[in-house]
Amino acid sequence: MDWNFQSAEEIAAAMRAGAVTSVELTDAAIARIERDDKAINAICVPDFDNARAAARAADRARARGEDRPLLGIPVTVKESYDIAGLPTTWGMPQHANYVPAEDAVQVSRLKAAGAVILGKTNVPVMLRDIQSFNEIYGTTNNPWDHDRTSGGSSGGSAAALACGFGALSIGSDLAGSLRTPAHFCGIYAHKPTLGLAPTRGMVAPPAPALPVDLDLAVAGPMARTARDLTLLLEVMAGPDPLTHGLAYDVALPPARHDRLAEFRVLVLEEHPLIPTGSAVRAGVNRVAEALVDEGARVERHSPLLPDPAEAATLYMQLMLSNAAAGLPLEVYRELQTRAAALSADDRSLDAARLRGMVLSHRDWVGANNGRELHRHGWRQLFAEFDAVVCPITPTPAYPHNHDGELEDRHVDIDGVEYPYFDQLVWAGVATMPGLPATAIPAGRSPEGLPVGVQLIGPMFEDRTPLRLAELLEEKIGGFQAP
């Protein structure tokens, strides 16, 4: 049997039954990486000696009767997470030799759960792209078409899973960085509710690993099955022991329903600020039709939906105000000059991003208040619905495009070009208010590329979209190897 494409749940059961050892699983994963990753370039920092040592330790622990959630399961970790003794660069050449002394809290949790870490996966520079390439480690290719991107910023992790390089991976998401690579590579990912999984130790070098509550950004699981997402989220969730963990524990409510027929779902396929490509539209409708077929209540419109255009503008302002905080003063002042020259009537997303980069604290508070109003709107919507199905990006994976600056690039949607960063509006639907969102495979494009959609759920009710993902996997199918 080729264990490399089995789910974490399946290989854990096989190890419990004595059908395979962690050493055998780890050796098989390493052999596959050494054979296939030259063409993909997903694993940018291999750690095979330590992985084999961890696998031997896992087998000894199991022989003693231990059974932890991830005991002996081979996994990978996004490069942006600190692992003691391995480089953390975020793709920045000036930090190519930066090696942290301590594990990120999520890496510590993986190790405590018994996982075998095969190595780290590739990212874009500063995690700020929808593709994964940098001068240190090169470009990660999409396993379905090597001329196309695997997505970003967790593109290395998504490609690794699609290729059978480990059963699980951990990534992060601020602008779809878990969901977009999952969509492009045909796997599963879950963006947790904001704050559910601590991010200490996922910090750009050489900044210290502090227990900071990040705005918008989350740590989250990636897998080849929906059930594996839940398995890994159980390990990742819970407050940081240095702060909230001193007083609080996590107790996520159960999924609202256990059968597709019981779900009330709002399906969205159109956004007022950017079109949805035909391949992605077909994926959304494939899921909608499956829900209808099973007797779920499916609606296409609701007056309860918070204004998507206003939400996208708030998202761009909040995200870019954070991203620009560390810019050199002379760059910041130039941006202020450019923002001041904008017409008051310019309501484009480009203008929202520019204004966001120089947002005053007064204006940031105003934007944050707007976010809270949207969160209240979502609470009202989720009193009537259990989940929202919508695109992750407007298109499947596109050809590598490394030309020029990010703001100068464009994305082609059915033959028409749009500003590169405008494609983030669908990711922002869940990110801006901090909602959980599960990315699932939803078929293929006419060119044979994977197409995914996201299932957005109520805040801190992560089990609801995750359970919906499991039920849809049974109905429409899930991961397929390239």
Side-chain angles (χ1 to χ4, degrees):
M1 177 181 287
D2 184 356
W3 293 103
N4 288 311
F5 284 103
Q6 300 302 303
S7 71
E9 186 179 47
E10 289 168 335
I11 63 176
M15 283 190 285
R16 292 187 190 105
V20 69
T21 66
S22 179
V23 166
E24 291 170 334
L25 291 168
T26 302
D27 283 342
I30 291 170
R32 189 173 192 89
I33 293 167
E34 290 177 336
R35 187 191 75 192
D36 294 346
D37 198 37
K38 294 180 182 66
I40 303 299
N41 193 34
I43 310 298
C44 60
V45 184
D47 194 27
F48 296 157
D49 288 344
N50 285 326
R52 288 189 168 104
R56 292 192 293 269
D59 287 337
R60 291 193 297 268
R62 193 172 294 280
R64 295 192 299 269
E66 294 184 28
D67 190 12
R68 286 171 270 159
L70 305 180
L71 186 60
I73 297 175
V75 307
T76 59
V77 171
K78 188 176 182 178
E79 201 270 358
S80 52
Y81 286 90
D82 287 348
I83 299 180
L86 297 182
T88 297
T89 71
W90 288 45
M92 295 184 286
Q94 67 269 34
H95 297 300
N97 298 317
Y98 179 78
V99 178
E102 295 182 358
D103 290 339
V105 65
Q106 292 299 346
V107 172
S108 296
R109 289 181 176 182
L110 285 178
K111 290 180 177 180
V116 173
I117 298 175
L118 297 166
K120 304 181 80 174
T121 58
N122 202 22
V123 296
V125 179
M126 282 294 293
L127 315 188
R128 291 179 181 171
D129 201 345
I130 311 157
Q131 307 175 73
S132 292
F133 68 95
N134 59 75
E135 291 181 22
I136 303 172
Y137 300 122
T139 299
T140 298
N141 298 320
N142 191 301
W144 292 84
D145 181 344
H146 297 178
D147 292 329
R148 295 175 184 261
T149 179
S150 62
S153 62
S154 307
S157 287
L161 286 165
C163 291
F165 305 160
L168 303 166
S169 193
I170 60 171
S172 62
D173 192 312
L174 168 69
S177 288
L178 285 159
R179 293 163 285 163
T180 298
H183 157 47
F184 284 177
C185 293
I187 64 153
Y188 289 81
H190 181 69
K191 185 199 88 66
T193 296
L194 182 65
L196 180 61
T199 57
R200 175 165 50 90
M202 199 205 73
V203 59
L210 301 175
V212 177
D213 293 328
L214 298 178
D215 190 26
L216 301 174
V218 301
M222 308 179 80
R224 285 188 295 270
T225 72
R227 288 175 63 88
D228 278 359
L229 288 180
T230 300
L231 173 69
L232 184 49
L233 183 66
E234 292 286 340
V235 172
M236 300 181 72
D240 192 310
L242 295 185
T243 53
H244 301 294
L246 293 170
Y248 309 138
D249 199 358
V250 65
L252 293 176
R256 291 187 176 186
H257 308 293
D258 204 42
R259 297 189 308 119
L260 285 177
E262 298 168 337
F263 276 85
R264 304 164 299 168
V265 180
L266 177 62
V267 174
L268 306 174
E269 59 178 294
E270 296 180 355
H271 196 283
L273 299 183
I274 196 168
T276 302
S278 56
V280 170
R281 189 184 297 272
V284 172
N285 287 315
R286 190 174 295 116
V287 171
E289 290 162 9
L291 289 165
V292 170
D293 187 54
E294 288 296 309
R297 174 190 155 197
V298 175
E299 303 288 346
R300 294 284 185 158
H301 304 280
S302 172
L304 295 173
L305 180 70
D307 183 346
E310 181 181 77
T313 298
L314 286 170
Y315 172 56
M316 295 296 175
Q317 290 178 330
L318 291 166
M319 178 170 61
L320 270 297
S321 69
N322 189 313
L327 291 174
L329 183 58
E330 62 274 14
V331 176
Y332 183 76
R333 285 176 173 161
E334 180 183 340
L335 291 170
Q336 285 181 308
T337 301
R338 288 172 51 197
L342 288 171
S343 166
D345 297 329
D346 189 344
R347 315 314 296 174
S348 67
L349 290 175
D350 270 340
R353 287 186 284 268
L354 180 53
R355 291 186 181 111
M357 284 191 281
V358 296
L359 214 59
S360 69
H361 182 63
R362 174 187 175 89
D363 289 338
W364 186 91
V365 169
N368 190 50
N369 287 340
R371 167 165 50 185
E372 291 300 335
L373 289 171
H374 275 253
R375 282 177 174 159
H376 184 63
W378 280 103
R379 282 190 286 271
Q380 293 176 310
L381 182 141
F382 282 123
E384 296 293 326
F385 295 95
D386 303 306
V388 171
V389 175
C390 66
I392 296 168
T393 70
T395 70
Y398 39 79
H400 297 298
N401 178 6
H402 304 168
D403 297 334
E405 299 298 324
L406 294 171
E407 59 268 22
D408 299 325
R409 296 183 197 155
H410 292 82
V411 59
D412 183 301
I413 304 176
D414 290 346
V416 180
E417 290 194 340
Y418 294 85
Y420 190 67
F421 277 133
D422 283 10
Q423 65 187 298
L424 301 182
V425 296
W426 282 115
V429 172
T431 297
M432 190 275 287
L435 301 172
T438 306
I440 68 168
R444 308 269 189 84
S445 74
E447 297 80 16
L449 298 169
V451 172
V453 303
Q454 60 181 330
L455 316 175
I456 301 173
M459 184 171 275
F460 290 109
E461 294 190 52
D462 294 61
R463 294 187 191 279
T464 291
L466 285 166
R467 180 58 180 152
L468 180 56
E470 292 176 17
L471 295 169
L472 284 167
E473 185 176 11
E474 296 170 5
K475 173 70 177 175
I476 65 173
F479 169 79
Q480 294 180 332

